[in-house]
Amino acid sequence: MKTRKKMTFSRRNFIKTSALAGGGILIGFNLVTACKEAAKPPVDISKLNFQDFNAFIKIAENGYVTIFSPNPEIGQGVKTSMPMIIAEELDVPWEHVTVAQGDLDTENFERQVAGGSQSIRFGWNALRQTGATAKQMLVNAAALTWNVDPATCSTSDGIITNAKGESLHYGEVVNTAATLDVPEDVQLKSIEDFKIIGKDATNVDMDKIITGKPLFGLDYKTEGMKYVCVARPPAFGKKLKSFDDSDARLVKGVSEVVQFGDKVAVLANNTWAAMKGKQALKIKWVSDAKLENSELHDVELLKILEGKDVVVKREDGNVTKAFAEADTILDRTYEAPFLPHNCMEPMNFYAHVSKEKVHLVGPIQTPAGTANRVAKLIERDVEDIHLEMTRMGGGFGRRLYGDFVMEAAEISNLTKQPVKVIYSREDDMTAGIYRPASKYRIRASIKNGEITGYHLIEAAINGNMWAGIASYFPAGAINNYKVEAGNYRSNITTGAWRAPYTNFLAFAEQSFFDELAEELEKDPIQLRLELLGKVPNQTDDPNTYSSGRMSGVIKLAAEKSNWGKTENEIYQGISAYFSHNTHVAEVADIRMVNGEPQLEKVTVAVDCGIVVNPTGAKNQIEGGVLDGIGHAMYGDYSFEEGIPQDSNFDTYRLIRMKETPVVETHFVESNIAPTGLGEPGLPPAGGAVANALKAATGKRLLKQPLMQSLRKQMSDFKV
Amino acid sequence: MAVFNLNINGKNVSVDVDADTPLLWVLRDELNLVGTKYGCGIASCGACTVHLNNVAIRSCVTTVSSAESAAITTIEGLGEDKLNPVQEAWKELDVPQCGYCQAGQIMTATSFLNKNPNPNKDEIRNAMNGNLCRCASYNRIEKAVALAAEKMSKA
């Protein structure tokens, strides 16, 4: 049966149209307002004007469509997939659509907000309604021209047809449409009628990327702009005492050296001079706080795992009783180091603070919040801040933090000229914000062959898991269930890193399930399905896992990976995890070659609801899985006396092509509204590999990076 | 400062810079050829790869003075009229995620395929191992190099 949804809430709250001077129609909509509409009462219509819109559709007289995408693009593909959703409901051929990044320094785009990893989930309804509303206006205009009832007209590929078989294309009615009221209720397409959603669409920036056109923040420049490198404290816990810039000023091309806070900026006519000038600075740093070692963090985190200063995040039943009555208790501790983000494009930002305005350009995931912070820092009205986003050479959470934007603004404000702050790779890796080191202790009680209790303690540097995470599987599947968390406050700056918390929590829990299965002498897939079978299925709350969807991805991964039926030399490991509203299961295949494990393939099953752009979606999963594997196997970052121990890719190991397995992705067919894909592929990957490594080598690895742990256990192992 | 005469993408240009300036920054800051990317500055990531006499080199550790007598090709000069087979393959397989490293990947792949037009899987993986992709689009890069080889053999 076809399902047609009639949306009745007021579109005028977030959509407005106007005729374009040169012909055609401009449709403005506020994605943010629209996305929040379901949860909040409508905003006051009288207060809206075009400055309240952050995204636009332009339909020209030739019927061609330009969609100005409002959301930051960090490689997650929303600049392609979000316009696809509009084009679908607008009912135009994708080939007639051009996508442009919203130009943020025009007055139209002042209210810019980043969508983050939730772009598709939050944008789904609003983007569909926007496209459908625009289409209805065009139909109404055609109906007016023909003097017929709009209900008797239909559309297809940008052409409107009436009952007599007469037709008009969109371009022929746009100027009439621009004069009509915005319709109050429109019909969305049946999912079965989708023509664009569900079909591969190539990255809209493809040609620019493969021909090297200016696109990224580092590519942006203006006439007279100074290139700036900044010397920052070399250790967490140190501050600036004094500096001598006489040699730096002698470097050809260096124009100015300025101190701001505990940092020294070298301004120059080109990047190389700025880098050399910074090298030539002679700076004395002094300690003003504890200089921490990674060994100290280990000791402190282990104390938390013994129960020191923990808070309860969730408690069901009576865990103490379950453990007291247990036949067996399984007790394991999993450990992970700090990780830098290492975006390929190092942090950078352009700032020009002048009397008239503050012009900021560059890669930032949180433009609105950052603009506010800049305004406060340099004591300007936020209305003076004009912020343009560029395409970003990766984000991974690092560009949520606007520290580098503040630096650029402050230096421009001090020196009264346009500047571009550029981080060297060393700056990027050592002055960074890190995925916090963390440890998990998980215990399970077993009685009469059943898991009767489950107790997890999280110990992390600075932060702890969000409340919702404590309700992820196996919450609900085990009657006596408890999650506690505690943290150690460190002066090393930490923050969000792709799939915050779950990027390592998933490894710990999915490794633990494998050990539980072994203890209970069950197949690890069977154990998971049995536990999920105890949880009532639900698909209404997107923030909680669905036992049905989780079972679905596990079964699909098992089927596609030939679970349990592979040839003799192949050893498999399974991991399944729900995060960022998406369910993912992964099976890793390891082949033993001359006594050494080689990761050959990862079979992935994903339930993200409707897949908007299959090629983009698969790309996210492939990347997320390999990212997860790479960091689980090799990622290692530590501190001595507050000093970061790696500063570039010569010693810091990222996964490279020779180490990558084939990632084979399968999506569960679904008509459920879509959820995000930038992060959910990552968390299960490490566990799948660790479980396969156990099967292949007999070694259970509890500490990341896995290859280091494996080397310790296998002296003859060469990798 | 000194004047250096360079041949870039078939055009002669002269730049007035310090002799130790890496070619990368000459391309980006002096000549506005920003397709060549900065990633590490120590020849460890491959984002800055360009061709010197058709050989892939890391422009971040190649001084402008050592590049003077060579024919330099950057991503901008690779397929000026139409995409080259490597770029075509990249597009066909929708390789990029963030896209930042891809110019370097394409330059490495193009130079490699010119030397070895019919590579096997291991040869591709070896040749591309020096180019980091933080988004880990490695599966697609590998497939695209193979596809480009196929396109070149048919051309």
Side-chain angles (χ1 to χ4, degrees):
Chain A
M1 197 188 81
K2 290 195 172 188
T3 48
R4 270 184 191 275
K5 266 191 190 170
K6 203 163 191 181
M7 311 303 289
T8 50
F9 52 83
S10 174
R11 240 147 309 281
R12 271 200 314 235
N13 291 333
F14 72 99
I15 293 180
K16 207 164 202 179
T17 65
S18 77
L20 281 169
I25 182 172
L26 188 70
I27 300 153
F29 59 104
N30 188 322
L31 190 58
V32 181
T33 311
C35 292
K36 289 178 180 162
E37 200 153 15
K40 276 181 162 182
V43 292
D44 184 352
I45 298 166
S46 63
K47 287 187 181 159
L48 281 179
N49 59 47
F50 262 113
Q51 292 194 24
D52 291 300
F53 297 91
N54 59 25
F56 289 88
I57 308 170
K58 191 169 84 181
I59 305 174
E61 285 178 336
N62 63 6
Y64 278 65
V65 178
T66 306
I67 297 173
F68 295 91
S69 175
N71 281 44
E73 175 62 58
I74 56 175
Q76 82 279 45
V78 294
K79 193 172 170 184
T80 307
S81 55
M82 295 180 84
M84 283 172 77
I85 299 169
I86 293 175
E88 179 69 68
E89 290 291 350
L90 186 57
D91 207 5
V92 288
W94 181 241
E95 298 72 42
H96 292 188
V97 176
T98 304
V99 178
Q101 179 72 55
D103 190 8
L104 308 185
D105 72 339
T106 70
E107 58 181 26
N108 289 331
F109 285 92
E110 270 183 67
R111 306 269 175 109
Q112 193 70 50
V113 179
S117 61
Q118 294 290 316
S119 297
I120 292 294
R121 183 164 88 86
F122 281 127
W124 175 246
N125 275 326
L127 293 164
R128 291 184 73 190
Q129 287 159 29
T130 302
T133 303
K135 181 182 83 173
Q136 190 60 49
M137 292 185 74
L138 294 161
V139 168
N140 291 352
L144 201 66
T145 308
W146 287 319
N147 200 19
V148 299
D149 179 355
T152 63
C153 301
S154 63
T155 63
S156 178
D157 285 343
I159 292 165
I160 307 153
T161 308
N162 66 19
K164 286 189 247 168
E166 296 168 314
S167 64
L168 288 165
H169 71 73
Y170 285 180
E172 293 174 288
V173 294
V174 283
N175 292 327
T176 308
T179 65
L180 302 179
D181 286 339
V182 176
E184 280 298 298
D185 52 52
V186 295
Q187 280 201 326
L188 300 181
K189 273 189 179 178
S190 296
I191 286 164
E192 293 83 355
D193 293 335
F194 284 168
K195 293 175 186 171
I196 295 171
I197 291 169
K199 300 237 166 57
D200 289 346
T202 304
N203 186 323
V204 293
D205 282 334
M206 178 64 70
D207 287 338
K208 286 179 182 167
I209 290 169
I210 61 177
T211 59
K213 298 286 182 298
L215 197 56
F216 298 93
L218 210 62
D219 303 341
Y220 183 85
K221 58 174 84 170
T222 60
E223 193 66 35
M225 171 189 96
K226 293 296 176 191
Y227 297 79
V228 183
C229 287
V230 176
R232 302 172 186 84
F236 292 90
K238 285 200 174 175
K239 65 176 183 180
L240 181 72
K241 188 184 178 206
S242 62
F243 70 98
D244 171 1
D245 62 5
S246 49
D247 287 351
R249 287 178 184 277
L250 293 177
V251 173
K252 281 175 201 160
V254 168
S255 60
E256 205 171 341
V257 178
V258 290
Q259 181 194 344
F260 64 109
D262 278 313
K263 302 171 185 176
V264 182
V266 176
L267 287 74
N269 298 330
N270 57 65
T271 312
W272 185 239
M275 284 179 167
K276 285 208 293 185
K278 183 186 140 191
Q279 296 281 333
L281 288 170
K282 295 191 198 84
I283 307 181
K284 285 192 179 133
W285 308 96
V286 288
S287 306
D288 71 331
K290 191 159 57 174
L291 301 174
E292 298 173 19
N293 291 330
S294 290
E295 287 78 11
L296 164 86
H297 299 138
D298 282 338
V299 170
E300 294 297 334
L301 293 180
L302 287 171
K303 283 183 199 165
I304 294 166
L305 295 189
E306 294 301 321
K308 184 192 174 198
D309 299 333
V310 292
V311 293
V312 176
K313 294 277 182 175
R314 173 166 170 156
E315 187 168 15
D316 304 342
N318 188 335
V319 168
T320 311
K321 187 162 174 276
F323 279 85
E325 293 171 355
D327 297 333
T328 316
I329 291 171
L330 194 65
D331 185 343
R332 293 288 182 270
T333 295
Y334 302 88
E335 303 175 74
F338 289 94
L339 290 178
H341 296 85
N342 282 329
C343 302
M344 279 312 289
E345 179 191 14
M347 297 308 109
N348 66 87
F349 228 83
Y350 170 88
H352 187 193
V353 179
S354 64
K355 270 183 195 157
E356 297 74 36
K357 66 170 186 175
V358 178
H359 188 201
L360 305 170
V361 185
I364 180 76
Q365 288 175 255
T366 50
T370 299
N372 282 326
R373 289 176 63 203
V374 167
K376 208 169 280 175
L377 177 76
I378 59 170
E379 296 175 339
R380 294 287 292 253
D381 293 334
V382 75
E383 288 72 30
D384 291 348
I385 314 278
H386 294 254
L387 195 151
E388 288 180 57
M389 285 182 301
T390 57
R391 187 178 180 89
M392 295 176 231
F396 310 105
R398 179 63 184 88
R399 290 190 227 271
L400 292 168
Y401 307 96
D403 47 333
F404 45 93
V405 189
M406 312 274 278
E407 288 178 345
E410 197 168 0
I411 295 164
S412 179
N413 192 42
L414 279 170
T415 63
K416 309 290 173 210
Q417 56 194 324
V419 300
K420 170 81 156 290
V421 166
I422 295 169
Y423 279 50
S424 67
R425 174 56 57 194
E426 289 81 3
D427 296 336
D428 191 276
M429 212 182 287
T430 60
I433 286 166
Y434 302 92
R435 190 277 297 266
S438 55
K439 299 186 195 300
Y440 290 94
R441 181 180 179 194
I442 313 178
R443 297 189 307 141
S445 58
I446 297 167
K447 190 171 176 64
N448 301 328
E450 296 286 325
I451 304 165
T452 54
Y454 188 92
H455 182 195
L456 180 143
I457 306 176
E458 175 186 74
I461 301 294
N462 293 337
N464 285 114
M465 67 168 87
W466 303 314
I469 295 176
S471 295
Y472 289 179
F473 183 77
I478 299 168
N479 293 336
N480 304 300
Y481 173 93
K482 190 174 185 180
V483 173
E484 292 176 292
N487 61 63
Y488 175 76
R489 303 307 297 183
S490 163
N491 57 28
I492 290 164
T493 48
T494 57
W497 191 99
R498 193 176 194 176
Y501 305 109
T502 61
N503 58 43
F504 184 63
L505 174 60
F507 168 85
E509 293 201 290
Q510 292 300 308
S511 298
F512 191 75
F513 284 137
D514 223 48
E515 291 214 65
L516 269 177
E518 204 172 308
E519 186 67 35
L520 296 167
E521 296 177 356
K522 282 183 179 170
D523 175 87
I525 286 188
Q526 194 54 39
L527 172 68
R528 285 173 175 81
L529 293 176
E530 280 177 22
L531 286 169
L532 286 163
K534 295 176 182 174
V535 184
N537 188 32
Q538 68 88 22
T539 52
D540 296 332
D541 178 5
N543 293 314
T544 309
Y545 76 93
S546 149
S547 57
R549 296 177 83 178
M550 186 73 101
S551 303
V553 291
I554 291 172
K555 287 176 189 164
L556 184 61
E559 178 205 325
K560 299 292 184 185
S561 67
N562 262 331
W563 179 260
K565 297 176 209 146
T566 52
E567 51 185 293
N568 283 339
E569 296 82 14
I570 299 283
Y571 298 89
Q572 295 187 307
I574 172 90
S575 173
Y577 207 70
F578 165 84
S579 68
H580 301 267
N581 320 102
T582 295
H583 298 77
V584 182
E586 299 176 15
V587 173
D589 289 6
I590 283 178
R591 183 187 292 275
M592 290 303 281
V593 181
N594 302 326
E596 285 178 26
Q598 280 184 7
L599 186 53
E600 207 157 73
K601 185 175 146 188
V602 181
T603 307
V604 190
V606 183
D607 187 347
C608 60
I610 292 165
V611 179
V612 176
N613 181 14
T615 175
K618 278 189 181 170
N619 219 350
Q620 290 307 302
I621 293 297
E622 288 164 13
V625 169
L626 295 179
D627 189 7
I629 289 171
H631 282 93
M633 289 175 86
Y634 310 115
D636 192 14
Y637 209 75
S638 60
F639 299 86
E640 277 180 33
E641 300 287 302
I643 301 168
Q645 293 300 294
D646 294 280
S647 62
N648 209 325
F649 299 132
D650 50 348
T651 60
Y652 186 81
R653 189 168 171 188
L654 284 171
I655 193 167
R656 290 177 183 267
M657 186 180 281
K658 276 206 282 192
E659 294 132 3
T660 55
V662 170
V663 179
E664 188 186 287
T665 309
H666 303 273
F667 290 100
V668 172
E669 277 191 39
S670 172
N671 278 351
I672 300 174
T675 51
L677 286 171
E679 287 163 303
L682 188 146
V689 172
N691 294 340
L693 278 169
K694 170 65 171 57
T697 65
K699 310 291 181 193
R700 170 57 61 184
L701 307 175
L702 304 173
K703 187 173 183 177
Q704 292 186 1
L706 299 178
M707 287 299 103
Q708 218 174 69
S709 299
L710 190 61
R711 262 200 305 275
K712 280 184 187 155
Q713 294 197 31
M714 293 174 80
S715 52
D716 53 343
F717 179 61
K718 295 186 202 97
V719 174
Chain B
M1 307 278 267
V3 174
F4 295 92
N5 298 306
L6 301 171
N7 182 285
I8 299 175
N9 300 329
K11 286 175 202 129
N12 292 319
V13 293
S14 44
V15 290
D16 188 5
V17 294
D18 274 352
D20 68 347
T21 308
L23 179 58
L24 168 69
W25 297 116
V26 173
L27 294 170
R28 291 188 56 87
D29 293 351
E30 309 298 325
L31 301 170
N32 286 327
L33 294 169
V34 294
T36 305
K37 300 301 190 215
Y38 167 70
C40 70
I42 58 166
S44 282
C45 79
C48 68
T49 306
V50 300
H51 296 172
L52 225 60
N53 296 328
N54 296 318
V55 177
I57 56 107
R58 307 294 193 227
S59 66
C60 71
V61 293
T62 305
T63 59
V64 60
S65 53
S66 68
E68 252 205 317
S69 53
I72 300 162
T73 309
T74 69
I75 186 75
E76 290 91 346
L78 208 56
E80 274 177 310
D81 302 325
K82 65 191 262 298
L83 298 178
N84 87 352
V86 178
Q87 291 167 311
E88 277 176 12
W90 245 250
K91 186 171 181 173
E92 208 168 307
L93 296 180
D94 195 30
V95 172
Q97 288 178 42
C98 87
Y100 189 79
C101 74
Q102 300 295 348
Q105 305 275 2
I106 289 169
M107 295 309 286
T108 300
T110 301
S111 159
F112 165 64
L113 290 173
N114 285 337
K115 276 184 289 185
N116 183 354
N118 189 22
N120 64 30
K121 181 184 163 75
D122 284 343
E123 288 168 337
I124 294 174
R125 286 164 74 89
N126 268 323
M128 301 306 296
N129 205 52
N131 285 70
L132 284 175
C133 173
R134 179 63 183 82
C135 305
S137 63
Y138 294 119
N139 273 200
R140 292 190 184 200
I141 292 170
E142 190 180 323
K143 280 185 203 152
V145 177
L147 177 63
E150 203 182 306
K151 284 174 180 287
M152 286 161 77
S153 71
K154 282 178 191 160

